């Protein structure tokens, strides 16, 4: 076991964690970023990003995250290939975290940027057929359905983007939504409705994912959310895109979460109830959940972390003078 000590320990390598690292490194806090199972975060599972400021042309999510990481490393961040499995916040600063590798991480301040993970419907067949026709990532798995019939479940930005992306591989994409109105941005809706390869299926929920004789997905058992009528949709692939849940399992019983499971912070700041522990990005933001807002709150976390350490060091100096 190795112990890695730093002034600023950051858990998570999405836009929030890497922005905190860029600011933290430039402030001399020599950050360590523990990357987790999804280095670069959620943008690494998408393609086109058109709303991150600074780029006139469409950029690719994985490319943007590689650039952010390179910038963070360039100014002095250490990236660690590890996943935090336990944190000790009970004794105040310095905070201790244990990695899956067995290594220990110690930080004078802790920045939590663990983001969010895809939600599942929780209906029969979903987990059993995961990887056998059921997926939560079109950009990862869409290629396997080239020329086949696919469905996307959901009505937000992710679902619409997944459906549009899948038209690169399939001419027969059905978007299944439980209401008759999409939640996604208008510009994406306009593209969806203009695309002849996509058929919206309104007011339908998925009761089950059903396998055929070969053990892979054969059809979706659907229920009309208005009339209750049951029906089937035969598909080769189904992509669940019903939103994301914050990754807060690690902090259960250690930090307060709200009804949606998001970490609670002092309004308008990234400060948790424990001095020196900050939360930024999707893990504390139920409302906006964008790359640019995650980066913004990551910046705020680093600035507040710097102030926390400066105030503590100033208090320590004064105590020394009077001793
Ligand atoms: P995330 O990006 O979720 O990163 C979380 C990080 O925490 C990951 O690196 C993960 O490995 C790490 N982690 C989690 N648990 C642990 C642990 N225990 N130990 C160590 N590390 C851990 N937003 C836009 O602005 N524009 C878009 O075009 C856009 N497109 C999107 C497309 C898709 C398909 C999705 C899913 C989201 C999209 N978003 C988009 C939303 C955007 O990706 C998120 O708002 C943003 O990534 C949140 O950043 P984050 O840093 O808070 O968390
Ligand atoms: P979301 O906005 O929360 O939308 C989830 C969708 O899934 C909603 O339409 C919801 O239906 C539906 N849904 C939820 N639970 C369901 C269930 N059990 N059964 C059936 N349908 C269900 O999630 P998201 O689309 O993943 O987006 C998350 C965040 O990332 C948002 O802030 C979004 O703006 C951002 N994002 C941005 C971009 C972009 O800027 N281009 C791209 C992707 C994501 P209802 O509508 O009925 O609630």
């Amino acid at each position: 076991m190795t112990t890695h000590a730093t002034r600023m320990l950051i858990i998570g390598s999405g836009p929030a964690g890497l922005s905190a690292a860029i600011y933290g490194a430039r402030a001399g806090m020599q950050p360590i970023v523990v990357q987790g199972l999804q280095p670069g975060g959620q943008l690494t599972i998408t393609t086109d990003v058109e709303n991150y400021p600074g780029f006139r042309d469409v950029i690719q999510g994985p490319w943007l995250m590689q650039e952010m990481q390179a910038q963070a490393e360039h100014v002095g961040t250490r990236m660690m290939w590890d996943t935090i499995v336990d944190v000790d916040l009970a004794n105040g600063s310095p905070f201790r975290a244990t990695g899956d590798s067995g290594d220990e991480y110690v930080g004078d301040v802790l920045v939590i940027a663990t983001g969010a993970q895809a939600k599942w419907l929780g209906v029969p067949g979903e987990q059993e057929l995961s990887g056998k026709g059921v997926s939560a990532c079109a950009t990862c798995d869409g290629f396997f359905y080239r020329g086949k019939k696919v469905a996307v479940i959901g009505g937000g930005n992710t679902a619409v983007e997944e459906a549009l992306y899948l038209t690169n591989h399939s001419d027969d994409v059905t978007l299944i939504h439980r209401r008759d109105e999409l939640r996604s941005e208008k510009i994406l809706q306009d593209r969806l409705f203009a695309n002849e390869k996509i058929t919206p299926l309104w007011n339908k929920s998925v009761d089950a994912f059903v396998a055929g004789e070969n053990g892979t997905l054969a059809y979706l058992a659907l229920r009309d959310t208005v009339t209750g009528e049951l029906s089937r949709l035969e598909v080769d692939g189904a992509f669940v895109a019903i939103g994301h849940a914050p990754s807060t399992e690690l902090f259960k019983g250690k930090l307060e979460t709200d009804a949606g499971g998001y970490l609670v912070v002092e309004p308008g700041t990234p400060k948790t109830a424990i001095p020196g522990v900050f939360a930024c990005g999707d893990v504390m933001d139920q409302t906006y959940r964008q790359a640019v807002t995650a980066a913004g709150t990551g910046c705020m976390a680093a600035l507040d972390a710097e102030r926390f350490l400066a105030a503590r060091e100033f208090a320590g100096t004064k105590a020394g003078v009077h001793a």
Side-chain angles (χ1 to χ4, degrees), residues 42-43 46 48-52 118-123 153-162 176-185 187-188 191 204-206 225 240-244 262 282 285-291 293:
Q42 292 168 63
L43 282 188
T46 191
D48 295 356
V49 174
E50 296 177 71
N51 51 14
Y52 197 83
K119 278 189 199 164
W120 294 94
L121 288 165
V123 299
I153 300 127
N157 277 346
T158 301
V160 173
E161 283 195 339
E162 302 261 274
I176 302 170
H177 185 34
R178 63 182 176 183
R179 296 186 293 130
D180 62 0
E181 192 185 6
L182 296 172
R183 177 183 292 276
S184 73
E185 287 170 69
I187 188 170
L188 290 174
R191 281 181 209 163
K204 296 281 186 289
S205 62
V206 176
T225 54
V240 179
I242 60 163
H244 289 76
Y262 291 79
D282 281 14
D285 172 15
Q286 178 144 28
T287 313
Y288 301 106
R289 295 176 297 172
Q290 301 295 303
T293 48

Side-chain angles (χ1 to χ4, degrees), residues 40-122:
Q42 292 168 63
L43 282 188
T44 60
I45 58 161
T46 191
T47 48
D48 295 356
V49 174
E50 296 177 71
N51 51 14
Y52 197 83
F55 306 96
R56 183 191 323 199
D57 297 323
V58 176
I59 53 168
Q60 300 298 300
W63 176 84
L64 177 63
M65 296 319 299
Q66 272 168 26
E67 290 298 307
M68 266 193 220
Q69 178 177 332
Q71 187 179 0
E73 288 181 306
H74 179 70
V75 289
T77 301
R78 264 198 295 161
M79 305 294 298
M80 308 300 290
W81 286 100
D82 207 349
T83 298
I84 300 299
V85 292
D86 194 19
V87 288
D88 177 5
L89 311 180
N91 300 308
S93 172
F95 303 100
R96 291 174 187 281
T98 310
D100 192 36
S101 64
D103 283 5
E104 186 184 44
Y105 300 88
V106 183
D108 292 340
V109 292
L110 177 67
V111 174
I112 300 168
T114 47
Q117 283 300 315
K119 278 189 199 164
W120 294 94
L121 288 165

Side-chain angles (χ1 to χ4, degrees), residues 132-305:
K132 295 176 191 158
V134 179
S135 166
C137 178
T139 47
C140 317
D141 299 330
F143 180 79
F144 301 121
Y145 301 95
R146 188 167 281 268
K148 297 194 172 168
K149 196 172 166 180
V150 295
V152 176
I153 300 127
N157 277 346
T158 301
V160 173
E161 283 195 339
E162 302 261 274
L164 288 166
Y165 173 78
L166 284 165
T167 61
N168 293 321
H169 300 300
S170 165
D171 291 341
D172 190 344
V173 180
T174 304
L175 181 80
I176 302 170
H177 185 34
R178 63 182 176 183
R179 296 186 293 130
D180 62 0
E181 192 185 6
L182 296 172
R183 177 183 292 276
S184 73
E185 287 170 69
K186 183 163 182 317
I187 188 170
L188 290 174
Q189 295 197 27
D190 290 346
R191 281 181 209 163
L192 180 102
F193 295 134
N195 194 316
E196 289 176 355
K197 295 179 180 175
I198 304 175
T199 310
L201 196 54
W202 303 115
N203 300 321
K204 296 281 186 289
S205 62
V206 176
D207 272 0
F209 297 86
V210 184
E213 279 177 7
N214 63 0
T216 63
L217 180 66
Y219 67 89
L220 308 180
L222 301 178
R223 178 183 299 272
D224 192 291
T225 54
V226 178
T227 65
E229 189 190 342
L230 303 177
S231 59
R232 284 179 179 194
L233 181 72
E234 286 179 11
V235 286
D236 302 295
F239 293 84
V240 179
I242 60 163
H244 289 76
S247 304
T248 49
E249 194 63 31
L250 261 183
F251 309 103
K252 260 197 185 133
K254 297 175 181 176
L255 286 171
E256 191 187 344
T257 50
D258 65 15
Y262 291 79
L263 290 182
V264 172
V265 291
E266 189 184 305
T269 81
K271 295 177 188 171
T272 71
I274 300 178
V277 178
F278 304 91
C280 51
D282 281 14
V283 75
M284 48 69 88
D285 172 15
Q286 178 144 28
T287 313
Y288 301 106
R289 295 176 297 172
Q290 301 295 303
V292 67
T293 48
T297 52
C299 157
M300 289 159 68
L303 294 178
D304 279 342

